[in-house]
Amino acid sequence: MTQPAIELIGIEKRYGAQAALAGVSLDVPAGQFVALVGASGSGKTTLLKTINGLIAPDAGQIRVGGEDAGAAPPHQLRRRIGYVFQEVGLFPHLSIAENIVITPKLLGWERARMTARVEELLDLVALPREVATRAPSELSGGQRQRVGVARALAAEPKIMLMDEPFGALDPLTRDSLGTDYRALHDKLGLTSVMVTHDMTEAVLLADRIVVLEAGSIVADGPPGALLASTENPEVRALLEAPRRQAERLRQRLEAAS
Ligand SMILES: Nc1ncnc2c1ncn2[C@@H]1O[C@H](COP(=O)(O)OP(=O)(O)O)[C@@H](O)[C@H]1O
Ligand SMILES: [Mg+2]
């Protein structure tokens, strides 16, 4: 058995009386693409932030690449893990290139290496190299989200955490970014955990779907097997939604032709 890339053991986090995470245990093998789904407030963001040390759990253990994540300083952990935020969060006064190399700069990379890395990353996320000198405001929402992915990949992490990365985009852009990201995941041999509200996106992109409800995992499995294996009515409704939509879409398109 190879070491899981991410191991969570009995993670608990509460805010006052409210349990954001009520004892979550999860192993993510290296190379897996996990979609983390669940209603608003179910603890998805708290779980991602716990993995990269932005939030310290009240109880439980986190291991990243086999090492106790609590033992190392949090900033060291964060440099080994790429994180794509829901709201992108590019610095408006910095150029695209400067935004991308934030972590390499902290790591003290040479200027030439950073310049080469920016070009490589722009190619990787399918952005033209001339956007390097632009300000974030001069890019479309989809292009900015690609920069967010490039920035998260800058220091060559093997683990990527993404919090509803494509949530604010139009459906076409979202679809192409999702497909492109999945290809990158495979090409770079990443381990990815992506939070999404969109069950269709989860089914289409992920190897495994983990469903959170009120801070607990209520379903966990590959997209195809999950529906058959769960008794939880809310999880079933969530999983059946893409199938129902696809069926309705097919009927309407057939009726129209
Ligand atoms: N900083 C905070 N202070 C107080 N409560 C919080 C804080 N962050 C999250 N929570 C609460 O924890 C629960 C889980 O939040 P979150 O992880 O953001 O959920 P999700 O990302 O699934 O929408 C929610 O009830 C939320 O209100
Ligand atoms: Mg959230």
Side-chain angles (χ1 to χ4, degrees):
M1 242 317 265
T2 57
Q3 192 74 250
I6 302 166
E7 275 179 279
L8 303 176
I9 308 155
I11 300 296
E12 293 175 27
K13 178 70 189 176
R14 36 178 65 257
Y15 293 106
Q18 163 96 34
L21 297 173
V24 170
S25 295
L26 181 71
D27 278 8
V28 182
Q32 197 168 58
F33 192 130
V34 177
L36 188 60
V37 301
S40 275
S42 57
K44 305 181 297 295
T45 296
T46 306
L47 189 62
L48 278 201
K49 289 186 172 172
T50 305
I51 296 172
N52 86 335
L54 282 170
I55 289 177
D58 299 326
Q61 254 197 318
I62 303 149
R63 279 200 280 269
V64 174
E67 290 170 37
D68 182 358
H75 68 270
Q76 274 183 21
L77 184 68
R78 287 205 282 278
R79 285 171 196 175
R80 284 169 47 205
I81 300 177
Y83 199 105
V84 180
F85 294 88
Q86 201 165 351
E87 60 290 341
V88 197
L90 299 180
F91 292 106
H93 57 289
L94 297 182
S95 71
I96 295 306
E98 288 165 335
N99 267 286
I100 289 176
V101 297
I102 284 173
T103 302
K105 214 167 172 179
L106 287 171
L107 293 171
W109 287 24
E110 304 262 342
R111 180 165 296 275
R113 185 176 173 203
M114 291 198 285
T115 306
R117 186 66 179 145
V118 166
E119 299 206 330
E120 190 178 27
L121 286 161
L122 290 174
D123 293 350
L124 205 60
V125 299
L127 281 173
R129 287 183 180 182
E130 60 263 26
V131 304
T133 55
R134 286 199 214 157
S137 62
E138 296 171 303
L139 266 58
S140 71
Q143 288 177 318
R144 280 200 289 271
Q145 211 37 283
R146 286 181 190 271
V147 174
V149 172
R151 179 180 58 181
L153 287 169
E156 299 173 344
K158 296 308 278 178
I159 296 174
M160 285 282 277
L161 307 176
M162 310 171 88
D163 198 350
E164 296 191 46
F166 315 130
L169 303 172
D170 66 85
L172 268 185
T173 306
R174 184 185 186 123
D175 189 46
S176 77
L177 234 64
T179 314
D180 284 2
Y181 181 76
R182 174 70 220 211
L184 266 185
H185 166 97
D186 293 334
K187 178 176 167 185
L188 301 176
L190 300 170
T191 304
S192 301
V193 181
M194 182 183 77
V195 169
T196 178
H197 258 112
D198 183 343
M199 188 51 88
T200 305
E201 185 171 76
V203 168
L204 290 175
L205 296 181
D207 302 316
R208 173 183 181 189
I209 299 177
V210 171
V211 186
L212 270 184
E213 196 180 292
S216 296
I217 294 176
V218 292
D220 177 2
L226 204 54
L227 194 55
S229 70
T230 185
E231 295 297 323
N232 181 314
E234 281 167 50
V235 175
R236 291 197 73 89
L238 207 60
L239 287 165
E240 278 164 356
R243 188 175 295 183
R244 269 199 312 274
Q245 276 191 330
E247 179 57 23
R248 270 162 51 208
L249 199 57
R250 195 187 56 75
Q251 283 174 6
R252 300 206 66 169
L253 291 173
E254 275 179 8
S257 67

